[in-house]
Amino acid sequence: MGVLYDYFRAATDDEAADVFDWPAGPTCPPPGVEPKDSAELTNIDPYVMMGTLEALLTGSRYEDITARPRHSAPLRFSEDGGQGVLTVTDEFTSALAAATDDRIRAVAQPWSETQEFWGHADPADLAELLHDLRDLAVRATRHRHHLYCWMSL
């Protein structure tokens, strides 16, 4: 099955960190609470794979991207490391929000060829996931929210 990664938007770090206590991530809130606007990207980690994607989208160096304080920074994590909520940088959110359909298709090919996909990624499938993530980034930007990642083993 792999690791579950759900990317979601929230107004603040505190609001995002609250998702840690939800039964199964941003789409499964406790009773009386609205689910978070999210995109499921199973097995697409926020550190390496999204850092590589950002480098492809922006032309920035991977090392510079991963050195940012909010690049995949943990907000809350279980003691065993099996579940957590991490930040996504505003720079990445902005780059995603600005990406055209053509740009998404263009970066999906080289992204699919990175070693993290072990040669098993279909660029068309990745482009579809990226469209969902881009649309989430657009909504986050429109609402002046930030993106976050909920992960669970």
Side-chain angles (χ1 to χ4, degrees):
M1 181 169 162
V3 182
L4 302 176
Y5 295 103
D6 285 351
Y7 293 83
F8 66 99
R9 66 181 176 91
T12 66
D13 287 357
D14 288 339
E15 180 184 327
D18 288 344
V19 171
F20 178 84
D21 294 322
W22 293 12
T27 60
C28 297
V33 177
E34 289 292 317
K36 295 292 183 197
D37 186 8
S38 63
E40 181 182 320
L41 277 77
T42 301
N43 295 322
I44 308 288
D45 81 90
Y47 191 86
V48 174
M49 296 170 106
M50 288 301 191
T52 301
L53 175 62
E54 183 177 353
L56 291 167
L57 273 175
T58 65
S60 297
R61 290 176 358 124
Y62 177 83
E63 295 78 14
D64 295 337
I65 291 165
T66 58
R68 293 182 185 136
R70 289 185 58 86
H71 177 79
S72 198
L75 291 179
R76 286 193 60 195
F77 247 84
S78 62
E79 287 185 25
D80 66 1
Q83 182 176 323
V85 175
L86 304 108
T87 60
V88 173
T89 66
D90 290 336
E91 293 90 347
F92 184 44
T93 302
S94 295
L96 280 169
T100 64
D101 289 348
D102 288 342
R103 185 71 182 133
I104 286 173
R105 284 189 294 276
V107 300
Q109 181 63 46
W111 194 40
S112 73
E113 297 168 357
T114 60
Q115 68 183 9
E116 291 77 27
F117 287 110
W118 299 92
H120 299 292
D122 179 346
D125 290 342
L126 289 179
E128 187 175 321
L129 291 174
L130 290 179
H131 281 107
D132 291 344
L133 188 61
R134 185 263 325 264
D135 293 347
L136 177 64
V138 166
R139 293 188 300 272
T141 301
R142 186 179 315 129
H143 292 280
R144 292 189 169 104
H145 285 182
H146 308 280
L147 289 184
Y148 298 89
C149 179
W150 173 85
M151 61 82 54
S152 180
L153 297 177

